[in-house]
Amino acid sequence: MLTIRHFSKAYTENKPVVENLSFTVPAGQITGFIGHNGAGKTTTLRCVAGILNFTEGTILIDGRDIHTEPVKAKQVTAFLPDNPELYDFMTGIKYLKLVADLYRIPMQECSAQIKEIAERYDMTGVLGSQISGYSHGMKQKLALISALMRRPKLLLLDEPFVGLDPTAAFVTKEYLKEICGRGGAVLFSTHVLEVAEKLCDRVAIISHGRLVVEGPTAEVVGQESLESIFMEISSTQKEEQGHA
């Protein structure tokens, strides 16, 4: 569903944030994108979503090149950033209708989706209220509804569980599984290694802009925990930097 080949991104000359990154996100699977702060996770997700431009490498979404076929690639993709920008002056339902219009989804088609997802997130009673009065968690849930109602083939999430209460986190995990169950795929970044270990079919660990390890979660973890693997990688990276 997602193929990243030899992708690099730099904001300043000779200082790449991501360097020669290559991995795949297979259809039907949840992939956890793991790394320390500043490792390049958010930059990668934003480039995959088509928000940031890049000049080195190739990104294919469902076989569509994000550079040469950006509209077709984005039509099957939904991206939820770590701090979603919403229109506070709107009501929740007006915001969802706006998203439906932007993606040319007939309102009749997605109204049932909105109703079902809002109920599962316990948001039905507040969709008529202005977003400015929402808590952080409510805004996060509204953003999730806006992404999920489009039934994307590829769902990209940047730290999706931050700010969610346990019930909303559980509902989100169930939706990720549902997307994969119908042949889609999920790539999400997280600092919560326990969640990644239990939820993800695959993991990709990035450190200082470079891929360190990628593969099925069970194979990467082996007899250890994902937390111990990550700590070992972090320790090795620090030693290598100290010798450099």
Side-chain angles (χ1 to χ4, degrees):
M1 189 58 66
L2 170 64
T3 302
I4 301 173
R5 297 177 185 153
H6 306 295
F7 163 68
S8 297
K9 172 67 178 178
Y11 294 106
T12 57
E13 193 174 354
N14 299 322
K15 288 187 177 181
V17 177
V18 182
E19 188 172 2
N20 197 29
L21 182 67
S22 297
F23 70 93
T24 61
V25 176
Q29 295 193 8
I30 301 172
T31 299
F33 197 29
I34 300 165
H36 58 79
N37 289 334
K41 303 186 303 299
T42 296
T43 293
T44 300
L45 289 173
R46 288 181 175 273
C47 286
V48 172
I51 295 171
L52 292 178
N53 192 23
F54 62 97
T55 57
E56 295 185 41
T58 303
I59 294 176
L60 303 175
I61 299 174
D62 197 24
R64 308 290 189 178
D65 191 306
I66 192 66
H67 272 154
T68 60
E69 298 181 278
V71 174
K72 289 184 178 180
K74 292 176 183 180
Q75 281 176 338
V76 299
T77 306
F79 172 55
L80 185 69
D82 58 346
N83 188 24
E85 294 289 338
L86 306 175
Y87 297 110
D88 283 355
F89 62 90
M90 286 185 168
T91 62
I93 191 63
K94 284 187 177 180
Y95 175 76
L96 295 176
K97 288 181 178 180
L98 172 64
V99 172
D101 287 343
L102 288 173
Y103 285 89
R104 299 179 181 178
I105 307 171
M107 195 58 210
Q108 186 175 7
E109 181 182 319
C110 71
S111 60
Q113 283 286 314
I114 292 173
K115 183 176 184 295
E116 177 202 330
I117 301 169
E119 285 179 356
R120 288 176 69 175
Y121 277 114
D122 195 24
M123 287 284 288
T124 305
V126 298
L127 289 183
S129 303
Q130 276 197 316
I131 297 172
S132 58
Y134 285 12
S135 67
H136 174 74
M138 291 165 65
K139 289 180 178 180
Q140 185 81 350
K141 288 191 280 187
L142 181 67
L144 280 163
I145 295 169
S146 73
L148 294 168
M149 74 181 192
R150 292 163 41 203
R151 296 177 65 84
K153 285 188 175 182
L154 176 65
L155 180 61
L156 306 168
L157 305 165
D158 195 0
E159 297 290 346
F161 300 106
V162 175
L164 293 182
D165 58 62
T167 300
F170 175 81
V171 170
T172 301
K173 293 171 191 175
E174 291 301 298
Y175 270 118
L176 303 192
K177 294 174 185 176
E178 288 178 22
I179 288 172
C180 293
R182 60 174 182 259
V186 176
L187 175 65
F188 76 94
S189 71
T190 182
H191 287 109
V192 187
L193 300 181
E194 185 179 358
V195 169
E197 187 170 348
K198 291 181 178 179
L199 182 62
C200 297
D201 303 291
R202 301 176 67 85
V203 292
I205 300 178
I206 187 174
S207 180
H208 301 287
R210 294 191 175 192
L211 186 70
V212 179
V213 63
E214 181 258 345
T217 306
E219 290 183 13
V220 172
V221 173
Q223 299 300 314
E224 302 181 67
S225 69
L226 188 55
E227 183 177 30
S228 63
I229 295 292
F230 182 73
M231 294 305 294
E232 285 176 17
I233 290 171
S234 299
S235 178
T236 301
Q237 291 287 326
K238 286 179 182 178
E239 288 179 8
E240 290 176 353
Q241 285 186 322
H243 292 308

